[in-house]
């Protein structure tokens, strides 16, 4: 079996024609060969949406939630509505086609396709995950960076697509370079009016006493599948859960703080803008054991 796999969708949306009449809905192809045109709007404009889904013990995790979010992001960009059954199949086919690994991921990409063609492009690519043991165990250093938008940007200016997982992630990569320049590993975005938002590719989670708290999803941030699963986990352990408007001082004062996301899972925050903060080792271990062990 190969280490990576690529599943192409013949008809990513039922509201647009297929690429090839009569072809299977999902087809495994050589991941090292070219499949995307140079005029594809995903490539030329970042005009598309994506998801990254973790594979734990062979199974795509939180798959239904990821596919729902793909559809939500597509609706924000007014892309043709994804055929959710075909996307689920593509993820499962790609995940099953790679060498069994304890942890992997599937990246799903839906673009507007070649300009003027009217047919979106879609694929699912599966590969082994990087080793995040150190980040999960020892924690990460973050810096707070101004995102430049107010906390209510999603309501005032929906055309800025805040909260959609669009392909335009150059900013999310640039902030990691800025973090490195500041001797940190990741960032926590802050709204221009001073509210904590999210990480570059993760959600912020705090433990305050016996409650897990995260910034509200109305703040122009991505509703995280990992954060959602962790709220369900917390409730099973009789921890309270809350969506809140949080300030930087809440991060410094919290009993525990993590950046949580698919694939890396829960990375405890051990330093904020150069100031050390304690790591909740016990809860970190329990949370990551839960996240790694999910079978759906
Ligand atoms: N916020 C942003 C900006 C992200 O890109 C991501 C994931 O990539 C997340 C949050 C976390 O989402 P999830 O837990 O579904 O991976």
């Amino acid at each position: 079996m190969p280490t990576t796999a690529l599943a192409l969708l013949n008809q990513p949306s039922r509201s647009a024609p297929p690429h090839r009449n009569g072809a299977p809905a999902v087809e495994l192809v050589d991941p090292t060969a070219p499949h995307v045109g140079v005029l594809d709007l995903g490539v030329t404009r970042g005009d598309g949406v994506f998801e990254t889904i973790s594979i734990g013990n062979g199974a795509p995790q939180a798959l239904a939630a990821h596919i729902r979010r793909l559809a939500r992001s597509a609706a924000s960009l007014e892309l043709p509505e994804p055929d959710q059954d075909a996307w689920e199949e593509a993820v499962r086919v790609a995940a099953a086609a790679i060498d069994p690994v304890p942890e992997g991921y599937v990246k799903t990409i839906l673009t507007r396709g070649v300009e003027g063609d009217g047919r979106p492009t879609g694929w699912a690519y599966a590969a082994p995950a990087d080793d995040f043991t150190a980040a999960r165990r020892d924690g990460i250093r973050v810096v707070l960076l101004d995102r430049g938008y107010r906390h209510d940007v999603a309501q005032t200016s929906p055309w800025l697509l805040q909260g959609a997982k669009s392909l335009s992630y150059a900013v999310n990569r640039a902030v990691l370079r800025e973090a490195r320049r500041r001797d940190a590993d990741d960032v926590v975005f802050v709204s221009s009016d001073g509210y904590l938002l999210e990480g570059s590719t993760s959600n912020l989670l705090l433990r305050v006493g016996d409650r897990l708290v995260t910034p509200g999803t109305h703040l122009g941030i991505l509703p995280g599948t990992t954060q959602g699963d962790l709220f369900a986990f917390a409730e099973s352990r009789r921890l309270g859960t809350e969506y809140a408007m949080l300030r930087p001082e809440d991060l410094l004062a919290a009993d525990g703080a993590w950046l949580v996301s698919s694939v890396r899972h829960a990375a405890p925050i051990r330093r904020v803008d150069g100031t050390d903060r304690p790591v909740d080792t016990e809860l970190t271990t329990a949370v990551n054991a839960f996240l790694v062990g999910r079978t759906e």
Side-chain angles (χ1 to χ4, degrees), residues 147-158:
R147 186 172 244 173
Y149 298 134
R150 282 170 47 97
H151 75 277
D152 54 358
V153 60
Q155 290 76 48
T156 61
S157 320

Side-chain angles (χ1 to χ4, degrees), residues 50-54 62 65-66 69 147 164-165 169 172 189 198-204 221-228 260-263 294:
F50 77 105
E51 284 294 323
T52 305
I53 300 153
S54 37
H66 279 287
R69 193 172 65 188
R147 186 172 244 173
K165 203 163 164 65
Y169 256 43
N172 303 54
F189 283 118
E198 62 186 339
S200 60
T201 57
S202 51
N203 289 103
L204 177 66
I221 63 175
L222 209 66
T225 63
T226 314
Q227 173 269 312
V260 303
S261 55
S262 306
V263 192
R294 286 173 299 167

Side-chain angles (χ1 to χ4, degrees), residues 7-24:
L8 291 185
L9 283 94
N10 185 40
Q11 190 174 14
S13 166
R14 285 176 193 266
S15 58
H19 287 271
R20 287 188 298 129
N21 282 325

Side-chain angles (χ1 to χ4, degrees), residues 19-89:
H19 287 271
R20 287 188 298 129
N21 282 325
V26 172
E27 210 171 349
L28 278 172
V29 295
D30 177 359
T32 63
H35 299 282
V36 181
V38 293
L39 292 179
D40 192 293
L41 286 160
V43 177
T44 58
R45 304 281 188 198
D47 192 0
V49 295
F50 77 105
E51 284 294 323
T52 305
I53 300 153
S54 37
I55 304 174
N57 301 307
Q61 298 178 318
L63 179 56
H66 279 287
I67 300 298
R68 273 198 305 276
R69 193 172 65 188
L70 184 79
R72 231 187 59 127
S73 298
S76 303
L77 272 72
E78 299 172 62
L79 285 164
E81 185 186 348
D83 174 349
Q84 297 195 27
D85 292 341
W87 281 94
E88 282 211 21
E89 184 187 344

